[in-house]
Amino acid sequence: MTIESNRQDDLNKMVLCEPCSGIQRQWRRAPGHAELVQGTNRKEQRESGPVTITRYRCDRCGTAWEYENNKADQQAGWAVIGG
């Protein structure tokens, strides 16, 4: 097993609340939900230029999320990073 498959197994075991389960992942401009609390943000360089990545945590289920705001990549957006 690779590190990525182990991480995916861990994410599959996480129990997301109903609002988190409804978030469309990897799609720019997809909405989050009202119980996501914004955390820190950072800038990262991509081929298309700098992007902003913002961390969120769900108040209901504790899931940690990141949202990548990259106007050049339609498949950037929400990603689960842990619980």
Side-chain angles (χ1 to χ4, degrees):
M1 284 190 141
T2 66
I3 292 172
E4 183 59 31
S5 66
N6 287 341
R7 181 170 186 258
Q8 192 60 44
D9 288 344
D10 290 343
L11 294 178
N12 289 340
K13 292 176 190 171
M14 289 176 35
V15 177
L16 301 178
C17 64
E18 185 178 340
C20 279
S21 295
I23 294 176
Q24 184 176 5
R25 299 180 198 179
Q26 307 313 125
W27 196 255
R28 193 171 73 81
R29 297 186 69 184
H33 68 79
E35 294 177 82
L36 291 176
V37 177
Q38 185 173 338
T40 60
N41 61 30
R42 66 184 188 279
K43 299 278 188 187
E44 287 191 7
Q45 190 65 33
R46 300 285 190 258
E47 289 181 19
S48 60
V51 299
T52 302
I53 299 174
T54 306
R55 286 184 163 239
Y56 292 85
R57 178 164 298 278
C58 178
D59 262 353
R60 184 183 291 192
C61 66
T63 301
W65 292 86
E66 282 188 344
Y67 182 81
E68 180 176 330
N69 188 9
N70 183 349
K71 294 178 182 177
D73 183 0
Q74 184 64 38
Q75 293 185 334
W78 291 104
V80 174
I81 59 168

